[in-house]
Amino acid sequence: GNSVTQMEGPVTLSEEAFLTINCTYTATGYPSLFWYVQYPGEGLQLLLKATKADDKGSNKGFEATYRKETTSFHLEKGSVQVSDSAVYFCALLYSSASKIIFGSGTRLSIRP
Amino acid sequence: EAQVTQNPRYLITVTGKKLTVTCSQNMNHEYMSWYRQDPGLGLRQIYYSMNVEVTDKGDVPEGYKVSRKEKRNFPLILESPSPNQTSLYFCAIRDRSQETQYFGPGTRLLVL
């Protein structure tokens, strides 16, 4: 069945470091892929998405590229800030009529 | 802007005392769903609804009920709560023509 696997946290980095959070998926066909972010005490909100192979989603300095050949959608940011501390969820949507499948989440902490 | 409202935001109750967590939306979206979030387990879908009077079980429906009598509301009912239902609950909405899912702020439930 469809599934999402993301790297376990927590991930702790210093401010201005380079960030990568790995995400791989298993799905038949061509799902849409997402990264959601959950700031402390809040619900999840969409960070970025990509709907087809080789698409790059980007927002707030974060980027992720839909790689069908490696079934991956790794999240990257060139220079993280303390305000990026949050839990990040990778997710896929197989079709508009199906449910979104979430990874288990990766907690990111940024030290000043 | 999509808005999902959940009430209450925090609730402490005792085993066996029926409770309802309400969810309402301002977007007229067809798709609504409930998730629970537990440490190390990510988000797990409890129930979802594709439209009025149409509800289906998600991955962890045991111990929960839902109803969808009108489009904007999707309450989550715990007829006889137990301590293993202590969790953080999120309601979410999605328009079937879009792919972005919008989440409510969460309801933190403690069952003693």
Side-chain angles (χ1 to χ4, degrees):
Chain A
N2 301 328
S3 66
V4 175
T5 303
Q6 59 183 106
M7 63 188 289
E8 289 193 24
V11 174
T12 303
L13 297 171
S14 296
E15 205 165 21
E16 299 184 2
F18 183 86
L19 168 71
T20 300
I21 300 178
N22 290 338
C23 171
T24 57
Y25 67 91
T26 301
T28 53
Y30 301 90
S32 294
L33 301 173
F34 308 83
W35 277 100
Y36 280 82
V37 58
Q38 183 182 28
Y39 298 105
E42 298 182 12
L44 282 72
Q45 53 186 276
L46 181 67
L47 179 60
L48 54 84
K49 71 177 185 181
T51 57
K52 60 183 187 297
D54 299 324
D55 265 3
K56 178 185 284 188
S58 61
N59 187 23
K60 299 182 180 180
F62 290 89
E63 293 183 340
T65 301
Y66 190 140
R67 302 277 189 210
K68 187 152 181 65
E69 63 276 13
T70 54
T71 61
S72 65
F73 193 55
H74 304 322
L75 182 68
E76 297 182 336
K77 186 174 185 181
S79 177
V80 291
Q81 307 300 313
V82 172
S83 57
D84 294 326
S85 298
V87 181
Y88 292 81
F89 291 89
C90 186
L92 73 80
L93 178 66
Y94 184 65
S95 74
S96 62
S98 70
K99 67 177 183 180
I100 292 182
I101 296 171
F102 289 89
S104 57
T106 302
R107 182 174 298 278
L108 173 66
S109 296
I110 307 300
R111 295 187 299 252
Chain B
E1 185 181 317
Q3 192 162 11
V4 183
T5 305
Q6 293 180 227
N7 280 295
R9 295 288 314 277
Y10 304 91
L11 180 61
I12 301 174
T13 189
V14 295
T15 299
K17 185 176 182 183
K18 181 180 178 179
L19 67 92
T20 299
V21 184
T22 64
C23 173
S24 64
Q25 58 153 320
N26 67 346
M27 294 298 292
N28 207 39
H29 286 344
E30 294 94 347
Y31 187 96
M32 298 185 76
S33 60
W34 276 102
Y35 295 85
R36 59 178 290 174
Q37 183 180 12
D38 302 288
L41 298 175
L43 274 81
R44 294 180 291 169
Q45 192 180 52
I46 303 170
Y47 268 95
Y48 66 98
S49 169
M50 302 292 276
N51 215 328
V52 176
E53 301 293 2
V54 180
T55 63
D56 277 298
K57 296 178 181 178
D59 300 315
V60 287
E62 295 77 22
Y64 304 95
K65 285 173 55 177
V66 293
S67 70
R68 188 89 184 274
K69 293 186 171 58
E70 48 188 339
K71 206 167 192 179
R72 68 185 304 265
N73 294 321
F74 190 47
L76 179 69
I77 303 154
L78 285 71
E79 294 271 5
S80 183
S82 62
N84 64 12
Q85 292 178 297
T86 292
S87 188
L88 178 57
Y89 292 87
F90 289 102
C91 181
I93 66 173
R94 191 174 90 225
D95 188 303
R96 286 184 64 177
S97 65
Q98 306 293 323
E99 295 183 325
T100 300
Q101 189 150 277
Y102 300 95
F103 286 81
T107 295
R108 189 168 290 282
L109 172 65
L110 172 62
V111 183
L112 300 173

